[in-house]
Amino acid sequence: MKLHLATRTLYGDDGAFLKSLYCPLQKSWEQLHPDGGHRQRSCSDCARVVHDTAGMTDAELRALLDQDPAACLRITAGQGNLTLVASVPPSEVGPTGPGSDPRTAGFLR
Amino acid sequence: MDESALRKEYEQAQAELKEAWEAVEMALMVHSAVEEKYAAVLEHFKHQETAEAQPSLRLKLRQARQKIDEGSMEYAELAQAESIAQYQRSLENAWGGERRKRRVITTARTYAAINAAAKRGLRPLLKAVEASEEIWSRVMVFQDPETGEIEESGDFRHWPEGKKQVLSVEYYPYNFPNPYAAYLVPPDLKPGEEVWLADLIEDRVGSHWNQGPTSRLVSCEAVWNGEDFEVQYDPRQHRAEMIG
């Protein structure tokens, strides 16, 4: 999976959008309740389960988000299945070239 | 309200907010395009002083100016869309305990949005938008020596095979529409009241990654002291972790 750090947006290795990460409570993993095993914890403030993505494949993560697009995730800098990207994948940008819509060409969708 | 209803309300508000901002972004793009046209007409006008050309160019100029005004109005209306107000209400209601009592303070980042808020009775608290040197990102660009095609990576662990690194740039990864922005302060806010700044104007490090890059803190608690917001920023929350 790929993370665009500035926008906190997560993509698959194929560049497909997975999720924008946002927690208004700014929780850390240590503040969550370890009642769901080592790969997930629960948040006592909003009663949501937070899934650790460190051991997940893109396919597993996509399946999770297909079931619950708002599923909460944990991502850490050092996890081996993550690379940082500097610009958003082409799938997130409006098409350019002949016949493209000049209002959206090259801009974020 | 039970948990599932709260969650549904919050998710619906998030979707509405996203939709509203997409519309705002579109209006901004239209506005920018018209501004470019206006500048081009103005430039052309400077070099055309013949009596025949002037009436037609003046008309074009007036039309372009009118479109800018229309774009500005559309932007201001969208920036203050009802869906944003709904989002605020939902956010305030959705979180239990102490957070239920905490009001959400929004930020206006354009001239039009600030004035629209002032007309609605909110007091804009102006701040300079200043990039912190602590916040930066990196991109490395690799090029195929044969085809010239490029590939990029922001991660030292990802080095494309067969391609040569031609560039490594560290940069400030955010863009804002203006060098100023304003917190929109409700007139009845009392000194000492705790609030939630939904879109922080000040640059604070929100996350710090092991290879060095950092990202901005998006939102933060704050206390209104009667003149300004005291951001309740806890540097211990710098971490190489994202939850969301």
Side-chain angles (χ1 to χ4, degrees):
Chain A
M1 59 193 80
K2 297 176 176 177
L3 178 70
H4 188 252
L5 191 59
T7 56
R8 301 170 64 99
T9 309
L10 193 63
Y11 303 94
D13 285 331
D14 59 0
F17 171 83
L18 290 173
K19 187 176 191 290
S20 286
L21 298 161
Y22 177 64
C23 170
L25 304 180
Q26 299 175 51
K27 289 284 181 180
S28 70
W29 188 245
E30 286 66 37
Q31 291 172 306
L32 305 175
H33 197 266
D35 56 357
H38 68 285
R39 286 184 63 174
Q40 62 182 48
R41 293 188 174 188
S42 59
C43 174
S44 56
D45 277 306
C46 59
R48 295 186 71 86
V49 172
V50 180
H51 302 266
D52 188 0
T53 60
M56 297 175 86
T57 63
D58 277 14
E60 287 173 329
L61 185 54
R62 190 165 288 116
L64 172 68
L65 293 169
D66 282 346
Q67 274 196 327
D68 178 11
C72 287
L73 307 175
R74 178 212 191 194
I75 292 174
T76 54
Q79 67 187 60
N81 58 350
L82 179 79
T83 53
L84 297 181
V85 291
S87 60
V88 296
S91 60
E92 294 294 300
V93 178
T96 56
S100 61
D101 184 343
R103 294 169 303 171
T104 58
F107 289 96
L108 285 177
R109 286 184 193 279
Chain B
M1 195 181 290
D2 66 20
E3 179 206 322
S4 63
L6 283 172
R7 186 181 301 176
K8 194 174 170 189
E9 186 186 346
Y10 176 63
E11 284 166 2
Q12 188 181 344
Q14 277 188 317
E16 285 170 359
L17 183 71
K18 185 170 180 290
E19 201 175 306
W21 276 117
E22 282 169 356
V24 168
E25 283 173 354
M26 177 61 79
L28 191 61
M29 276 190 273
V30 171
H31 188 200
S32 301
V34 175
E35 259 184 342
E36 277 178 29
K37 282 183 191 166
Y38 173 75
V41 170
L42 199 63
E43 187 63 25
H44 188 53
F45 186 73
K46 269 168 40 184
H47 300 293
Q48 296 287 331
E49 293 299 332
T50 63
E52 295 81 14
Q54 280 191 15
S56 136
L57 286 167
R58 279 189 196 284
L59 178 64
K60 282 185 185 172
L61 204 60
R62 200 161 53 243
Q63 287 171 341
R65 186 70 250 176
Q66 193 178 344
K67 281 187 181 173
I68 289 178
D69 291 343
E70 285 169 8
S72 295
M73 281 173 64
E74 186 184 3
Y75 181 77
E77 284 168 13
L78 287 166
Q80 301 301 328
E82 181 59 23
S83 55
I84 294 180
Q86 280 175 12
Y87 162 74
Q88 285 182 44
R89 283 198 295 274
S90 298
L91 196 64
E92 287 161 19
N93 292 333
W95 307 113
E98 288 300 307
R99 288 180 190 276
R100 190 181 295 277
K101 301 172 191 165
R102 190 171 283 154
R103 282 196 268 185
V104 176
I105 303 296
T106 51
T107 298
R109 290 189 176 273
T110 67
Y111 178 92
I114 291 169
N115 280 341
K119 282 180 185 152
R120 288 171 50 227
L122 295 164
R123 183 75 185 173
L125 175 64
L126 272 294
K127 301 263 179 186
V129 173
E130 294 174 315
S132 164
E133 289 182 359
E134 285 187 280
I135 294 169
W136 60 277
S137 193
R138 175 198 301 115
V139 61
M140 296 174 290
V141 184
F142 302 83
Q143 192 166 34
D144 188 307
E146 289 183 9
T147 67
E149 285 180 290
I150 63 165
E151 191 170 332
E152 63 163 48
S153 174
D155 197 317
F156 283 133
R157 294 170 298 183
H158 179 63
W159 290 72
E161 280 183 33
K163 290 180 178 159
K164 183 185 171 190
Q165 186 189 337
V166 291
L167 206 62
S168 178
V169 185
E170 289 173 5
Y171 64 102
Y172 183 76
Y174 299 94
N175 286 303
F176 298 104
N178 281 317
Y180 58 86
Y183 292 123
L184 304 178
V185 183
D188 59 342
L189 199 63
K190 301 282 189 297
E193 183 171 337
E194 290 184 7
V195 298
W196 181 260
L197 299 178
D199 175 12
L200 199 60
I201 299 173
E202 296 88 343
D203 259 6
R204 297 282 193 275
V205 176
S207 59
H208 190 135
W209 292 76
N210 55 350
Q211 297 181 27
T214 51
S215 68
R216 287 182 83 242
L217 187 66
V218 179
S219 309
C220 197
E221 294 101 333
V223 176
W224 175 245
N225 67 12
E227 294 182 352
D228 202 351
F229 291 107
E230 294 170 4
V231 177
Q232 305 296 293
Y233 172 63
D234 181 359
R236 287 172 302 178
Q237 290 189 353
H238 285 204
R239 55 182 182 263
E241 177 181 84
M242 276 188 189
I243 302 277

